[in-house]
Amino acid sequence: MGWRAVEPHGSPCARMKPRQGFLCLFLCLCAAESVNGGNVLVWHTEGSHWINLKPILDSLVDQGHGVTVLFQNATLFINPKDYSRYKHHLFNVSITHEEQQEFFDEFLQFSLHDMDYLSYVEIYLKLYKLMDKDTGLVVRMCDGLLKSPSLMEELRKSKFDVLLADPIFACSELVAEILDIPLVYSLRFSIANVMERLCGQLPAPPSFVPAAIVKMTDNMSFTERLLNLLFYMSQDALAVLTWRRYDAYFSEILGKPTSFCEQMGKADLWLIRTFWDFEYPHPFLPNFKFVGGIHCKPAKPLPKDMEEFAQSSGDDGIVAFTLGSMIKNLTKEKSNMIASALGQIPQKVFWRHSGDKPDTLAPNTRIYDWIPQNDLLGHPKMKAFITHGGTNGIYEAIYHGVPMVGIPMFADQPDNMMHLKSKGAAVIMDYNTMQTKDLVEALNAVIRTPSYKKNALRLSKIHHDRPIKPLEEAVFWIEFLMRNKGAKHLRVQAHDLTWYQYHCLDVFAFLLAILGVVLFIFVKICKFSIRLCCSAFNSKHKKE
Amino acid sequence: MGWRAVEPHGSPCARMKPRQGFLCLFLCLCAAESVNGGNVLVWHTEGSHWINLKPILDSLVDQGHGVTVLFQNATLFINPKDYSRYKHHLFNVSITHEEQQEFFDEFLQFSLHDMDYLSYVEIYLKLYKLMDKDTGLVVRMCDGLLKSPSLMEELRKSKFDVLLADPIFACSELVAEILDIPLVYSLRFSIANVMERLCGQLPAPPSFVPAAIVKMTDNMSFTERLLNLLFYMSQDALAVLTWRRYDAYFSEILGKPTSFCEQMGKADLWLIRTFWDFEYPHPFLPNFKFVGGIHCKPAKPLPKDMEEFAQSSGDDGIVAFTLGSMIKNLTKEKSNMIASALGQIPQKVFWRHSGDKPDTLAPNTRIYDWIPQNDLLGHPKMKAFITHGGTNGIYEAIYHGVPMVGIPMFADQPDNMMHLKSKGAAVIMDYNTMQTKDLVEALNAVIRTPSYKKNALRLSKIHHDRPIKPLEEAVFWIEFLMRNKGAKHLRVQAHDLTWYQYHCLDVFAFLLAILGVVLFIFVKICKFSIRLCCSAFNSKHKKE
């Protein structure tokens, strides 16, 4: 395990020789203290989670704050050049890149294929196994930083003002507790909102708040409410089981009995990466801020060849198609089926596709390794977006008011698309079973039926019509924490209650006991009175 | 009953002769349509409720919107000159000013004196009687507008974009429903938050959300949680009972079975007149916006004589004292007791007092019919604010960071002061039992103990450190409703659930039934198996 401090491009540290590394680290950490404004520490994240953090960090840097990102050497999706604008510290972990990739592939296999043929019980057991494996990996990752007193001491010396983290990547809570600084989360969701509910005390009545990834709306039938409740309960049990490893680790590191959830509950603020354009309205707390669409921005002009291709579409317009950065290759059969469908619509199609060129590719479709997704979505000729339903992509579509055809695959994607379908802005396809005809029909429906565009524009209006832009709001609250050393006045007292106290079960039990005693005494008195009457009646009768 | 339309000062209507009244009304209502921006209708309010609406209306006028205020001729505290900046319509009601005053005096007598010697049951019954009387008066008041088809037709013709109302003054819901326009509430509180909870679907777990006016904090013992729960339950019962009259009236007016609560639940937005500087953190909903401190503003210079008096205090500073606009006279004994206490502190005291000059008045205390409260609270020499604890006054004190001595009397005042006491920014006195010595001690504590000032400044910092000023936020959301014809995307689906569906009681009952059947079958199978074993054993035994 080791520690490497890296300064932003062009800094004196970048020009130092390797042997000057330690001096560089010292200088860098000292420099962090002298930065204008605050001093922000950022816990490591991965993949699309990072995409949402980046605009916040850029904005913090623009505001004159020092930003230091922690990252580990087994990262799967992060390229060190992503950190070029910030100070960043690499900590070495005992996990290999291959181990991480293997776990990720296993998770993809489970989400994309296994779930189609496994029974509910098997899915549940497999999910437990996966989550348990994940906590094991995470704990080993945390060791890389937390079990290195020298590294922790360096962080302590840097006097950070706030720690920004995605709670999906555990242990930020320990760093914040040890450094005694406010903790602010940036979170899209946890399965069935276990983190938000159990640890953040977010109220979520199962009758109208569908659990995250359950693929139901807020308008539920009796059966759906039953399933929603059971899903909540089963996921709570799963969380309690898998978090036991974290509980032990957290207690060990802090040297006192504690739990993962207790430490999460100390977070000052939760910046949730959605908004009411996407969410079903639900109860929330003063320290939950909905800042969905942080990364969205106006479209820039397309590269020349793309613009020419777009203009060649005439009045028919264009369609953008991507399945995100995590799906690298489709099977040949699937690619051909999709290409064949795309060839049957009059629009020009921009397809982000990294596999072989499909045999059925039609002239109206062009394949790209990468597409400027936001610029395409904001193009005046844009008609529809074919998407896997990742939050970042759909938020760009909402921002620009583009209706969608969703081909969701795993994690929150199916649930995301259900949100948009229920709001009338999308059609959902089944990745495993869809045929050429289905995709053509879905595209024609979304492009030709005015209600889809109208609803997409309605969501876009809601997205834009708010008192403060999401990025500004996120930065405001991080700066608030630095100015005020936390935001304890926004944290509900429910954190100090047990679950039965929260639901007043002890009070109800007491009231029931009182009622029981009163009824018991009442019945006794009645019986006694009746017996008294009867004996008086009998003795009178006998006398007579 | 009648109808009078009044234009803002200096308008053509103001110069018309009385006989031209109807033409004037017509012109005014037509003019309302042609106003730049939106067309806002405002439901009548009274007293301090009006003080909080006024800045919003002024700001709406400044933004170029047309504002039309409805008011009735039996108003107690509103002076027609208060409406000079807006269009306003007087509707005549069959209630006399005296009837209103009599009811208000009865309410004051109950709050200030009766509650001290009555038992809980007597208080409850008296409260029911008062609330029932109130609904009777309100319904007669509503008749003045709603049972006049011509007046309603005039309103309809005016094509308002939104209706702004304080739900404490009922029937705005009917006007909004009939005119088919969005409804936005401005509310401080309802007793035990019955309106917010039962009609607005605001979640309020009794374990950590103390009911409004219950005088408890969010940190409750078992007994307090029990009392809080019982208070919620008793007030819910009271509301259901007293709202029956409204339910019948609402159904009659709309010509369909409905209820007061159902119509309240249709409100698009609830602008709550508090903020997290004052509130204990609690769950809320996306259509609840906390805009406390709307009326607060920087201090202006004092009148010359007041400034001289303030400056004469030297380093000791000054104290402001008011019991609000509703308490006109103190008893001679009480005034002397208070004056005597004020004479024992070194500060100079500005006392708003409209009764006779107390015999014990000391040279450091000056009596005024009216004081520029906000300008005094924002004065650099201000040390403490002696207040009855009305929300408007305490918000001005929070705005300027002034610690308080509270002498609360009725309505939300005792509860308001409890909030500030628990946050370490105030000391509470009992109006009925306090003695000279108590008031002197309280004043000295608040002025000399640094923690009171520190906490008051902390609340002030929270008050000011928010992404958008409360007045701007309130105006933003009213404009939002006009731009978007409502805000249904912020309204939780819980409105369409019954109370047992909301709490999933039907789902739990179903699960219990399943469990019961499974247990029953299990027991039967066990019994059958045991019997089978026993009979086999017995027959074998017999054979042997």
Side-chain angles (χ1 to χ4, degrees):
Chain A
M1 287 181 214
W3 173 270
R4 190 153 57 86
V6 194
E7 267 283 276
H9 274 323
S11 76
C13 280
R15 295 187 295 273
M16 282 186 180
K17 288 176 190 165
R19 281 187 203 161
Q20 292 170 305
F22 190 77
L23 175 63
C24 171
L25 166 66
F26 182 73
L27 287 173
C28 295
L29 290 172
C30 292
E33 284 183 65
S34 63
V35 162
N36 251 343
N39 198 6
V40 182
L41 183 63
V42 184
W43 187 239
H44 79 98
T45 61
E46 276 283 14
S48 60
H49 300 255
W50 169 250
I51 296 175
N52 249 288
L53 268 192
K54 217 175 163 310
I56 301 181
L57 306 189
D58 284 338
S59 190
L60 285 168
V61 169
D62 292 341
Q63 301 294 320
H65 302 294
V67 171
T68 305
V69 184
L70 291 165
F71 75 113
Q72 40 85 15
N73 60 327
T75 179
L76 274 187
F77 302 101
I78 303 286
N79 190 319
K81 79 171 184 200
D82 291 335
Y83 296 128
S84 57
R85 276 205 80 188
Y86 332 108
K87 290 184 194 63
H88 41 286
H89 293 307
L90 175 72
F91 61 97
N92 291 334
V93 294
S94 65
I95 310 160
T96 61
H97 190 91
E98 289 67 36
E99 266 180 291
Q100 287 250 78
Q101 188 64 51
E102 191 190 318
F103 174 76
F104 184 71
D105 291 342
E106 196 179 348
F107 177 68
L108 266 194
Q109 169 70 22
F110 169 70
S111 307
L112 285 178
H113 306 290
D114 296 357
M115 280 177 74
D116 289 332
Y117 63 83
L118 293 178
S119 69
Y120 280 121
V121 176
E122 284 171 324
I123 287 176
Y124 194 73
L125 290 174
K126 176 75 186 172
L127 192 60
Y128 170 68
K129 228 170 130 183
L130 276 171
M131 286 173 67
D132 194 54
K133 198 169 182 178
D134 183 47
T135 53
L137 286 172
V138 170
V139 161
R140 280 168 63 199
M141 204 174 288
C142 299
D143 275 348
L145 179 67
L146 287 152
K147 290 204 173 163
S148 166
S150 61
L151 305 188
M152 286 304 295
E153 184 54 29
E154 293 298 339
L155 286 186
R156 218 181 263 115
K157 276 186 190 158
S158 302
K159 293 211 163 61
F160 290 103
D161 296 306
V162 69
L163 174 57
L164 173 59
D166 188 321
I168 295 297
F169 302 88
C171 291
S172 63
E173 303 77 20
L174 289 171
V175 179
E177 177 81 1
I178 291 168
L179 300 184
D180 192 20
I181 52 175
L183 171 61
V184 50
Y185 282 144
S186 164
L187 174 66
R188 164 62 190 94
F189 79 104
S190 61
I191 298 179
N193 318 98
V194 279
M195 287 178 169
E196 302 93 306
R197 287 184 301 112
L198 304 188
C199 314
Q201 297 296 341
L202 188 76
S207 51
F208 69 99
V209 183
I213 82 158
V214 84
K215 289 189 280 178
M216 289 194 282
T217 73
D218 56 349
N219 193 353
M220 288 179 266
S221 65
F222 175 84
T223 317
E224 285 172 326
R225 284 190 287 120
L226 173 68
L227 291 175
N228 194 38
L229 178 74
L230 291 176
F231 188 71
Y232 271 129
M233 288 163 74
S234 64
Q235 292 303 317
D236 289 0
L238 205 62
V240 169
L241 281 173
T242 49
W243 289 349
R244 283 180 309 179
R245 196 195 296 258
Y246 285 153
D247 295 344
Y249 186 73
F250 275 49
S251 302
E252 179 201 335
I253 294 290
L254 294 181
K256 63 181 181 187
T258 185
S259 71
F260 177 47
C261 219
E262 186 187 344
Q263 295 302 323
M264 282 193 81
K266 291 184 181 173
D268 292 80
L269 279 171
W270 298 61
L271 302 174
I272 305 294
R273 299 197 293 264
T274 55
F275 187 59
W276 309 113
D277 44 9
F278 169 84
E279 291 271 354
Y280 307 117
H282 62 75
F284 63 108
L285 298 173
N287 63 342
F288 277 68
K289 309 291 175 189
F290 292 80
V291 293
I294 273 178
H295 64 295
C296 297
K297 53 192 173 195
K300 294 196 298 289
L302 294 178
K304 199 172 164 236
D305 62 321
M306 284 191 172
E307 181 61 35
E308 282 170 7
F309 185 49
Q311 289 304 334
S312 73
S313 69
D315 290 341
D316 290 321
I318 58 173
V319 166
F321 177 17
T322 167
L323 293 180
S325 55
M326 293 203 178
I327 304 298
K328 298 289 181 212
N329 287 311
L330 297 173
T331 60
K332 191 160 181 140
E333 185 196 352
K334 195 69 89 184
S335 310
N336 277 329
M337 185 276 289
I338 290 173
S340 173
L342 298 177
Q344 293 178 40
I345 59 169
Q347 285 73 28
K348 295 279 156 74
V349 184
F350 294 75
W351 183 4
R352 178 185 175 173
H353 177 62
S354 52
D356 293 335
K357 184 179 164 187
D359 306 325
T360 55
L361 197 74
N364 75 328
T365 308
R366 282 198 193 163
I367 284 175
Y368 299 88
D369 265 352
W370 173 88
I371 54 171
Q373 186 172 291
N374 186 57
D375 306 331
L376 278 169
L377 289 171
H379 195 280
K381 288 195 179 289
M382 175 51 60
K383 296 288 176 192
F385 181 37
I386 313 174
T387 172
H388 61 304
T391 311
N392 289 336
I394 60 172
Y395 253 106
E396 287 175 347
I398 289 175
Y399 181 93
H400 295 294
V402 179
M404 285 159 262
V405 171
I407 310 178
M409 286 180 255
F410 65 98
D412 56 335
Q413 296 163 6
D415 196 49
N416 288 348
M417 290 315 306
M418 178 53 88
H419 279 245
L420 294 166
K421 184 187 169 187
S422 74
K423 289 167 196 285
V427 165
I428 304 179
M429 312 298 303
D430 185 311
Y431 175 74
N432 289 319
T433 62
M434 72 172 179
Q435 297 301 317
T436 300
K437 190 172 141 276
D438 306 323
L439 187 53
V440 174
E441 275 175 11
L443 277 166
N444 282 333
V446 159
I447 294 168
R448 292 182 190 170
T449 316
S451 67
Y452 288 100
K453 180 68 183 174
K454 195 178 149 200
N455 286 319
L457 287 174
R458 184 175 55 82
L459 298 185
S460 183
K461 200 171 175 196
I462 293 169
H463 181 90
H464 290 281
D465 200 354
R466 45 179 143 179
I468 177 170
K469 287 181 184 170
L471 179 57
E472 285 172 25
E473 189 171 358
V475 170
F476 173 88
W477 285 113
I478 293 168
E479 291 183 330
F480 181 96
L481 291 187
M482 295 197 277
R483 278 194 296 271
N484 299 280
K485 318 269 178 226
K488 292 287 175 268
H489 69 291
L490 297 179
R491 190 173 172 272
V492 288
Q493 212 277 336
H495 286 282
D496 299 335
L497 297 175
T498 62
W499 64 272
Y500 59 86
Q501 285 174 327
Y502 183 102
H503 295 290
C504 281
L505 298 186
D506 51 348
V507 174
F508 281 118
F510 176 76
L511 288 175
L512 276 178
I514 297 274
L515 190 70
V517 170
V518 169
L519 273 179
F520 178 77
I521 294 172
F522 178 75
V523 169
K524 281 283 173 196
I525 290 173
C526 285
K527 273 189 179 172
F528 180 72
S529 308
I530 291 166
R531 214 178 299 146
L532 216 66
C533 285
C534 289
S535 66
F537 177 79
N538 286 343
S539 61
K540 192 185 167 193
H541 195 67
K542 273 180 190 171
K543 272 181 193 171
E544 280 174 3
Chain B
M1 285 181 210
W3 173 271
R4 189 151 58 85
V6 194
E7 268 281 279
H9 277 323
S11 76
C13 282
R15 294 188 295 275
M16 282 187 181
K17 289 176 188 164
R19 282 191 202 157
Q20 292 170 308
F22 190 77
L23 176 63
C24 172
L25 164 68
F26 182 74
L27 287 174
C28 296
L29 291 173
C30 291
E33 283 182 65
S34 63
V35 162
N36 251 343
N39 198 6
V40 182
L41 183 63
V42 184
W43 187 239
H44 80 99
T45 61
E46 276 283 13
S48 59
H49 300 255
W50 170 250
I51 295 174
N52 248 288
L53 269 191
K54 218 175 161 310
I56 301 182
L57 306 189
D58 284 338
S59 190
L60 284 168
V61 169
D62 293 342
Q63 301 293 321
H65 302 294
V67 171
T68 305
V69 184
L70 291 165
F71 75 113
Q72 40 84 16
N73 59 327
T75 178
L76 275 186
F77 302 101
I78 303 287
N79 189 318
K81 79 172 183 199
D82 290 336
Y83 296 127
S84 58
R85 275 203 82 190
Y86 332 108
K87 289 185 196 61
H88 40 288
H89 293 306
L90 174 73
F91 61 97
N92 291 333
V93 295
S94 65
I95 310 160
T96 61
H97 190 91
E98 290 67 35
E99 266 180 291
Q100 287 250 79
Q101 188 63 51
E102 191 190 316
F103 173 76
F104 183 71
D105 291 342
E106 196 178 346
F107 177 68
L108 266 194
Q109 169 68 22
F110 168 71
S111 307
L112 283 178
H113 306 290
D114 297 356
M115 280 178 73
D116 289 332
Y117 62 84
L118 292 178
S119 69
Y120 280 122
V121 176
E122 284 171 323
I123 287 176
Y124 194 73
L125 291 175
K126 177 75 186 172
L127 192 60
Y128 170 67
K129 227 170 129 185
L130 276 171
M131 285 174 69
D132 195 52
K133 199 170 182 177
D134 183 46
T135 52
L137 286 172
V138 169
V139 162
R140 281 168 62 199
M141 205 174 286
C142 300
D143 274 348
L145 179 67
L146 287 152
K147 290 207 172 161
S148 166
S150 60
L151 305 186
M152 287 304 294
E153 184 55 28
E154 293 298 340
L155 286 185
R156 217 180 264 118
K157 276 186 192 158
S158 302
K159 294 210 163 63
F160 289 104
D161 296 308
V162 69
L163 174 57
L164 173 58
D166 188 322
I168 296 296
F169 301 87
C171 292
S172 62
E173 303 78 18
L174 289 171
V175 179
E177 178 80 1
I178 292 168
L179 300 185
D180 192 21
I181 53 176
L183 171 62
V184 50
Y185 281 143
S186 164
L187 174 67
R188 164 61 192 95
F189 79 104
S190 61
I191 298 179
N193 318 99
V194 280
M195 287 178 170
E196 302 93 306
R197 288 185 300 111
L198 304 188
C199 313
Q201 298 295 343
L202 189 76
S207 51
F208 69 99
V209 183
I213 83 160
V214 83
K215 290 188 281 179
M216 289 194 283
T217 74
D218 56 348
N219 194 352
M220 289 179 266
S221 66
F222 175 84
T223 317
E224 285 172 326
R225 285 190 286 118
L226 173 68
L227 292 175
N228 194 37
L229 178 73
L230 291 176
F231 188 71
Y232 271 130
M233 288 162 75
S234 64
Q235 292 303 316
D236 288 0
L238 205 61
V240 169
L241 281 173
T242 49
W243 288 349
R244 282 181 308 179
R245 197 195 296 259
Y246 285 153
D247 295 345
Y249 186 72
F250 274 50
S251 301
E252 179 201 334
I253 294 290
L254 294 181
K256 62 182 180 185
T258 186
S259 71
F260 177 48
C261 219
E262 186 187 343
Q263 295 302 322
M264 282 192 82
K266 292 184 179 173
D268 291 81
L269 279 170
W270 298 62
L271 303 174
I272 305 294
R273 300 198 293 264
T274 55
F275 187 60
W276 310 111
D277 44 8
F278 169 85
E279 292 270 353
Y280 308 118
H282 62 75
F284 63 108
L285 298 173
N287 62 343
F288 277 68
K289 308 291 173 189
F290 291 81
V291 293
I294 272 179
H295 63 295
C296 297
K297 53 193 173 195
K300 294 193 300 288
L302 295 177
K304 197 171 165 239
D305 62 321
M306 285 190 170
E307 182 59 35
E308 281 169 9
F309 185 49
Q311 289 304 335
S312 73
S313 68
D315 288 342
D316 289 322
I318 58 173
V319 167
F321 178 17
T322 166
L323 292 181
S325 54
M326 292 201 180
I327 304 296
K328 298 289 180 211
N329 287 310
L330 296 173
T331 61
K332 192 161 180 134
E333 186 196 352
K334 195 69 86 183
S335 309
N336 277 330
M337 185 276 288
I338 289 172
S340 171
L342 298 177
Q344 294 179 40
I345 59 170
Q347 285 72 27
K348 296 280 154 72
V349 183
F350 294 75
W351 182 4
R352 179 186 174 172
H353 177 61
S354 51
D356 292 335
K357 185 179 164 187
D359 305 326
T360 55
L361 197 74
N364 75 328
T365 308
R366 282 199 192 162
I367 284 175
Y368 300 87
D369 265 352
W370 172 87
I371 54 171
Q373 185 171 293
N374 187 57
D375 306 330
L376 278 169
L377 289 171
H379 195 280
K381 288 197 178 289
M382 175 51 58
K383 295 290 176 191
F385 180 36
I386 314 175
T387 171
H388 61 302
T391 311
N392 289 335
I394 60 172
Y395 254 105
E396 286 175 348
I398 289 175
Y399 181 93
H400 294 295
V402 179
M404 285 159 261
V405 171
I407 311 177
M409 285 182 256
F410 66 100
D412 56 335
Q413 296 162 7
D415 196 50
N416 287 348
M417 290 315 306
M418 178 52 87
H419 279 245
L420 294 166
K421 184 186 170 189
S422 74
K423 289 167 196 286
V427 165
I428 305 180
M429 312 297 301
D430 185 311
Y431 175 75
N432 290 318
T433 61
M434 71 172 178
Q435 297 301 317
T436 300
K437 188 172 142 280
D438 307 322
L439 187 54
V440 174
E441 275 175 9
L443 277 166
N444 281 334
V446 159
I447 294 167
R448 292 180 190 171
T449 317
S451 68
Y452 288 100
K453 180 68 183 174
K454 193 178 150 200
N455 286 320
L457 286 174
R458 184 175 54 83
L459 297 185
S460 183
K461 201 171 175 197
I462 292 170
H463 180 90
H464 290 281
D465 200 355
R466 46 178 142 179
I468 176 169
K469 286 182 184 170
L471 180 57
E472 284 171 26
E473 189 172 358
V475 170
F476 173 88
W477 285 112
I478 295 169
E479 290 183 330
F480 180 96
L481 291 187
M482 295 198 277
R483 278 194 296 270
N484 298 281
K485 318 269 178 226
K488 293 287 175 268
H489 68 292
L490 298 179
R491 192 173 170 271
V492 287
Q493 213 276 338
H495 286 283
D496 299 334
L497 298 174
T498 62
W499 63 271
Y500 59 86
Q501 285 175 328
Y502 182 101
H503 295 288
C504 281
L505 298 186
D506 52 347
V507 174
F508 281 118
F510 175 77
L511 288 175
L512 275 178
I514 297 274
L515 191 70
V517 169
V518 169
L519 273 179
F520 178 78
I521 293 172
F522 179 73
V523 170
K524 281 283 172 194
I525 290 173
C526 284
K527 273 189 179 172
F528 180 74
S529 308
I530 291 167
R531 212 178 300 147
L532 215 65
C533 285
C534 288
S535 66
F537 178 78
N538 285 344
S539 61
K540 192 182 169 194
H541 194 68
K542 274 181 188 172
K543 272 181 193 171
E544 280 174 4

